[in-house]
Amino acid sequence: MKLTTRGHYSVKALLDLSLQQEFGPTSVNAIAHRQKLPAPYLEKLLIEMRRAGLVESVRGSQGGYQLSRSPAKISLGQILEAVGESIEPLPRHQPNAELAEDWVTFTLWNRLHQKLKEALYSISLEDLYYDARSWQAAQGEETSFVV
């Protein structure tokens, strides 16, 4: 699996929103500025994630985007799926029925794919949030959370 720019930016954007939750909705430009992402591209990704139910948009001068549910209920797999990232093994290989080695490697790659998928859906945005907060604390930045 290769994480594309779409997946990388989407995870960064939602992690940013999870770190800013206490401040209410956040504008695309604010996220783009903090994360050094192109705002027009980020807007398209956020629209896709809104359609998937991961974020909601709030209109008005104080509007922007915010998470639609708690970070604990949003998985890395859901984020990647929302923006069209494929975690399917490439290419779709059909094993040669006459070669045991072909079946063994085919089975191995399918098992690895299943484990990767399980991992992506078991890692929550909350997990990433606490990783980010721990890193900030290690860097000496002020934090207001309890581990």
Side-chain angles (χ1 to χ4, degrees):
M1 176 190 160
K2 179 181 177 186
L3 187 61
T4 67
T5 302
R6 292 176 64 76
H8 183 75
Y9 286 5
S10 298
V11 172
K12 284 180 73 165
L14 291 197
L15 181 56
D16 185 274
L17 287 176
S18 74
L19 293 168
Q20 304 300 321
Q21 266 187 302
E22 63 207 48
F23 303 113
T26 306
S27 74
V28 172
N29 288 333
I31 299 167
H33 177 74
R34 280 192 298 270
Q35 299 301 322
K36 297 174 180 46
L37 303 175
Y41 189 60
L42 180 58
E43 176 79 44
K44 291 176 185 174
L45 296 173
L46 286 165
I47 289 170
E48 290 180 36
M49 290 187 282
R50 181 178 50 81
R51 287 183 186 136
L54 300 178
V55 297
E56 51 191 34
S57 58
V58 177
R59 295 180 183 262
S61 62
Q62 300 299 311
Y65 286 92
Q66 61 189 19
L67 297 177
S68 63
R69 53 187 180 259
S70 104
K73 299 203 180 296
I74 299 174
S75 73
L76 190 52
Q78 290 171 320
I79 298 168
L80 298 176
E81 182 181 316
V83 295
E85 288 283 57
S86 174
I87 58 172
E88 298 303 315
L90 294 175
R92 284 307 245 173
H93 172 71
Q94 293 300 318
N96 182 339
E98 297 176 13
L99 297 174
E101 304 84 20
D102 213 12
W103 277 103
V104 170
T105 56
F106 179 74
T107 303
L108 169 67
W109 287 114
N110 279 338
R111 288 172 61 194
L112 288 172
H113 171 258
Q114 187 58 39
K115 293 294 183 188
L116 174 62
K117 195 172 183 177
E118 289 170 13
L120 289 173
Y121 282 90
S122 71
I123 299 169
S124 73
L125 195 54
E126 181 179 63
D127 297 330
L128 300 179
Y129 169 88
Y130 284 116
D131 287 347
R133 288 302 208 183
S134 295
W135 180 84
Q136 287 174 330
Q139 300 301 310
E141 295 180 24
E142 286 190 33
T143 58
S144 58
F145 68 97
V146 178
V147 177

